[in-house]
Amino acid sequence: MSLLEMLSSQLGGQAAQQLSSQLGADPSSTQKALSAALPLLVGGLARNANKSPEGAQSLASALEKDHDGSVLDSLSGLLGGGGGGVSGLLGGLLGGGASSSQPMPSSRATDGDGILRHVLGDKRGAVQQGVASASGLDADKAGKLLSMVAPLVMGALGKAKRQQNLDANGVTALLNQERAQVERQTSGMAQGGLLGLLDMDDDGSIIDDVGKIASSLGKLFG
């Protein structure tokens, strides 16, 4: 199962409804936003890992230390148990909201803003605008969604690292496989694919291509 398939299985159904409720958005717009945001976050991780051996090792170390997949495990358990737990976990990822009896992962594992700073850097604003444009969410809600799902992406990657016993090179290879899969499924993306898109200086091109990603990958959360 790919990272995006893992995430789509976790964020479908009841979780998607709870996410929409936390954002104050309709489910259709939330699904479109997820279809755009998740591949871009995976692409940002791949870009960082490919920049240098040091960057790849830094990512692998962060996964080993702070992202063991417990975010996803908690979400899965809460879904199985029913009740208001899902709202509690998602509220926790936003830094507040409903409480949950489920143990929360570490603060670094759920620090969406911190993760976004590392993953997207100065492209965060452009990606946020792109997700907003592709989904119909306003920019503030798109930003909140990115902050909420960033820990889940790191959790999925950390879980895959442990399950497959990956070192830094293995993590980079896995991210490159995910990136290539997105690019194969996305028609009309700018030359250079996800990595080139996130390195562009023209933010308008980013916004246009985010819409193409969401349209092509909308079936993940449809």
Side-chain angles (χ1 to χ4, degrees):
M1 180 183 294
S2 73
L3 293 181
L4 289 177
E5 288 169 343
M6 185 190 305
L7 289 161
S8 67
S9 70
Q10 294 283 341
L11 288 171
Q14 183 186 0
Q17 293 289 336
Q18 294 287 352
L19 185 66
S20 298
S21 178
Q22 288 288 330
L23 292 172
D26 66 272
S28 176
S29 295
T30 301
Q31 289 169 356
K32 289 177 183 176
L34 286 169
S35 296
L38 294 175
L40 284 165
L41 291 172
V42 170
L45 287 166
R47 179 188 64 163
N48 293 346
N50 280 285
K51 279 186 175 179
S52 68
E54 292 78 15
Q57 186 58 58
S58 177
L59 173 59
S61 297
L63 294 171
E64 190 68 32
K65 183 178 179 181
D66 298 316
H67 303 282
D68 59 3
S70 60
V71 168
L72 290 174
D73 293 338
S74 297
L75 184 58
S76 177
L78 289 165
L79 282 170
V86 176
S87 179
L89 180 60
L90 293 175
L93 294 175
L94 269 176
S99 62
S100 170
S101 60
Q102 190 79 8
M104 285 295 293
S106 72
S107 58
R108 288 193 178 187
T110 59
D111 182 9
D113 285 336
I115 292 168
L116 291 174
R117 283 194 296 272
H118 287 290
V119 174
L120 297 177
D122 62 0
K123 294 300 178 186
R124 180 176 176 179
V127 169
Q128 180 174 323
Q129 289 293 334
V131 171
S133 178
S135 64
L137 297 178
D138 63 40
D140 181 60
K141 290 178 181 178
K144 287 181 179 179
L145 180 136
L146 283 165
S147 293
M148 291 170 78
V149 301
L152 305 181
V153 174
M154 290 294 287
L157 184 58
K159 189 171 185 177
K161 179 185 185 301
R162 281 161 178 74
Q163 289 178 339
Q164 301 177 39
N165 194 27
L166 301 176
D167 60 10
N169 289 333
V171 170
T172 301
L174 175 62
L175 287 168
N176 285 333
Q177 290 172 7
E178 295 282 331
R179 171 184 59 82
Q181 181 177 341
V182 170
E183 290 171 355
R184 284 194 298 270
Q185 292 178 259
T186 304
S187 60
M189 183 181 285
Q191 187 174 3
L194 274 177
L195 299 193
L197 175 63
L198 291 169
D199 280 331
M200 282 183 179
D201 292 328
D202 182 358
D203 289 351
S205 295
I206 292 178
I207 293 171
D208 291 343
D209 276 316
V210 171
K212 294 172 186 175
I213 293 169
S215 177
S216 296
L217 301 180
K219 63 177 181 284
L220 282 173
F221 301 96

